[in-house]
Structure formats: C-alpha cells, structure tokens
Amino acid sequence: MRFRIFLLAFSVGFVFCFSAAIFFVFRFSGSNIAEAKPESPENVIYLETEKAVFLLAFENEKGFGPFTLINFDAKTGRIPVFTFSEKAALNYGGVFVSANSLFSSVSPEVFAGTVETNLGIELAGYFIWNRESAEEIIAKAGTFDYVLPEDIKYSDGSSYVNLSSGVQNMNGKKICDIALSPKFSEAERCDTVSRMTAAFLNRRLRRFLPESSVYSTIFNYTETDVSAFDKEKYSKLIEVLSSSGTSLSGHITNDTEKDTGTGLLYFSAETKERIEKYFK
C-alpha cells in the first residue's frame, strides 16, 4: 500500500513539474521571439567590398613622403594605419630605390602598383596630399586632440615651429609641422604620422560620409585615382565603420633595417608579417 501511495505521489509530482517546465519554456521563448525584431531592409547597408586599402602620399617642399596605408576594413571593424618612410626601399625593375625617388620619377599609378607588388597587398586607390589640402580638410572636418610626447621646436627657413608637449588641438598646419620635424628619426616620423592619422580617424570618421562637405573637399584638394563610382562604393565602408561609435583606428609599427651604404630602409620580416596580417 505504501508503495502505491508513493508511486501515485511521484507520478502527480512529475506531471506537475513537467507541465510547469513546458509553460516557462514557451513563455520565455515566445517573449524572446517577440523581442527579436528583424532588421528592416532600409537599415541594412549592402557592401560591394568588405575592405579598401588606400595609399596616402605626402607632398612637401623637398619631395614626397612619408607614405601612409589606411585599411577601411568593415569585416573586422578596424582601420589599421601604417606609414613608411620616403627612404623606404622598393624593388622597381630588379633595382632597389627609395620611395621618394621612385614617386618623383614615375606616375602615381606606377608607384602604387610597385607598392602593391613589394608589399603583397591590393590598393583601392591613392591620394596625394600636401600642406594646403591638410589645412582645408581639417578646417572642414574639425580639429582633434593629439598628445604630443615631447616639445617640437625648429625653424624651416620661413617660419618657426614651437609646439609644447601635452595635448595639442590639431589643425592642418600642426600636422604638417610635426610630420616634417627634423628632430625625428625616420622610424619616429612614421610612427608619429600613423598615430596622428589614427587619432584623426577615430574622432572625425563620420565627417567623411558623402553628405558632408568634407567629402567633396578631399576630392577638390587632393590628386586621386578614385572615380565617382568608387566614391559611392567606398563611402558605404565608412558608413558601416562609423556606426559603431567606438575607436576603430590604430597605428601599425614599422620596423626597418638600414643599409649603411645607400641609406635605404628595408622592411623587416616582422613588419612584412604585420602588413600581411592587417592589410592583405
């Protein structure tokens, strides 16, 4: 008798617990399904390409360089920045020449193709900028803060540069003054240009969307091979990247090995690995 009573109680308890479990599962599952609203088609951004690597060539009073690679990578949600020196060694026709001398002697398209071959990457396009374009673009996009690790003081013959260490509110003139500082080694110059570029992109990326006046300013004040069709395609990448609202950009370290005979700077094996990781 006791066994029958136990069996009956066990059966009733089991049925009750099983029913309660089903109730809660369906209740919370239904709640989650109701809350998970599908994204409306108008909010979906369709990308023709998931990333685009651009080459920026700085034209100064003495020539060209440094040169910067920027990868707008929507797949990883990051924007790596890598800068190489005007003295960087590039293999052109079986002969190693400096980036500055090569850029000065061939077309920008040929230079870009040489960079692609040497670094094993694919470029979406190039932009040639100078002091005027830097000042115009920053004036439109807005200034940004950059922490200068040490004082920069020098005379370039026509003006005197005097920038104190600490937080600097950066405009186009300051960018160029810092990039051209004679106190930097080539490694320090490349690292600084990358850091300034990353700081600017982290603060002002949304200003590069097509509806902004910055977008047209870039194409009015730089020489580029990016077509009108490409501008629309690549603007989608910027729209996706800028929607996160977080810091996306960071500099990639450039280590080089100097040839004491020629003064050329050769990319180290570690640098080539970083380029392949972040730009290929």
Side-chain angles (χ1 to χ4, degrees):
M1 177 64 72
R2 290 181 178 178
F3 177 77
R4 291 181 179 179
I5 294 175
F6 171 78
L7 185 60
L8 178 61
F10 177 81
S11 301
V12 172
F14 178 81
V15 171
F16 175 80
C17 292
F18 182 75
S19 300
I22 293 177
F23 171 78
F24 281 106
V25 168
F26 275 98
R27 179 182 178 184
F28 286 101
S29 297
S31 174
N32 289 336
I33 292 172
E35 292 173 2
K37 297 179 181 179
E39 192 172 6
S40 57
E42 61 269 19
N43 293 329
V44 176
I45 300 174
Y46 297 98
L47 297 176
E48 293 183 38
T49 179
E50 291 184 320
K51 75 178 183 68
V53 180
F54 294 99
L55 171 68
L56 274 59
F58 178 44
E59 180 182 10
N60 58 71
E61 292 80 3
K62 298 179 180 180
F64 297 91
F67 303 88
T68 300
L69 297 175
I70 301 177
N71 184 9
F72 292 96
D73 191 345
K75 186 175 182 180
T76 63
R78 308 295 296 175
I79 309 176
V81 179
F82 173 82
T83 300
F84 60 94
S85 169
E86 62 184 54
K87 298 179 182 179
L90 295 176
N91 187 329
Y92 179 67
V95 179
F96 281 98
V97 296
S98 71
N100 174 41
S101 62
L102 181 61
F103 198 97
S104 301
S105 60
V106 299
S107 68
E109 289 78 12
V110 171
F111 181 85
T114 304
V115 171
E116 289 181 316
T117 302
N118 277 255
L119 301 183
I121 61 175
E122 182 179 351
L123 295 175
Y126 66 81
F127 291 88
I128 303 174
W129 64 286
N130 53 29
R131 185 178 291 273
E132 180 187 14
S133 56
E135 293 178 357
E136 291 292 337
I137 291 170
I138 300 301
K140 288 289 185 180
T143 58
F144 63 100
D145 289 340
Y146 175 75
V147 179
L148 196 62
E150 56 185 324
D151 295 349
I152 293 183
K153 299 179 181 180
Y154 68 93
S155 175
D156 62 1
S158 59
S159 63
Y160 182 69
V161 177
N162 186 2
L163 298 173
S164 301
S165 61
V167 178
Q168 287 282 342
N169 188 242
M170 300 294 291
N171 55 29
K173 181 180 184 304
K174 288 183 181 180
I175 289 175
C176 296
D177 288 342
I178 293 173
L180 296 173
S181 173
K183 75 177 298 180
F184 286 142
S185 67
E186 288 305 307
E188 292 170 334
R189 190 184 319 283
C190 291
D191 184 70
T192 300
V193 171
S194 289
R195 288 181 183 275
M196 288 192 296
T197 304
F200 174 62
L201 291 172
N202 282 327
R203 187 64 184 271
R204 299 301 181 197
L205 183 63
R206 290 194 63 84
R207 303 287 177 88
F208 286 80
L209 294 174
E211 60 269 19
S212 168
S213 58
V214 177
Y215 204 70
S216 59
T217 301
I218 293 173
F219 291 92
N220 289 334
Y221 285 91
T222 63
E223 180 182 339
T224 180
D225 63 340
V226 179
S227 68
F229 171 78
D230 290 333
K231 286 190 287 185
E232 175 65 23
K233 179 170 61 175
Y234 297 134
S235 68
K236 298 296 183 183
L237 285 175
I238 296 176
E239 187 175 352
V240 169
L241 288 165
S242 62
S243 63
S244 69
T246 60
S247 295
L248 305 172
S249 190
H251 84 286
I252 307 302
T253 302
N254 179 11
D255 296 317
T256 55
E257 300 167 356
K258 185 175 182 179
D259 185 318
T260 55
T262 63
L264 294 177
L265 301 174
Y266 289 82
F267 297 114
S268 66
E270 293 78 12
T271 296
K272 290 180 179 178
E273 290 176 1
R274 295 186 195 112
I275 294 172
E276 181 175 356
K277 178 179 179 180
Y278 293 104
F279 294 90
K280 193 168 183 178

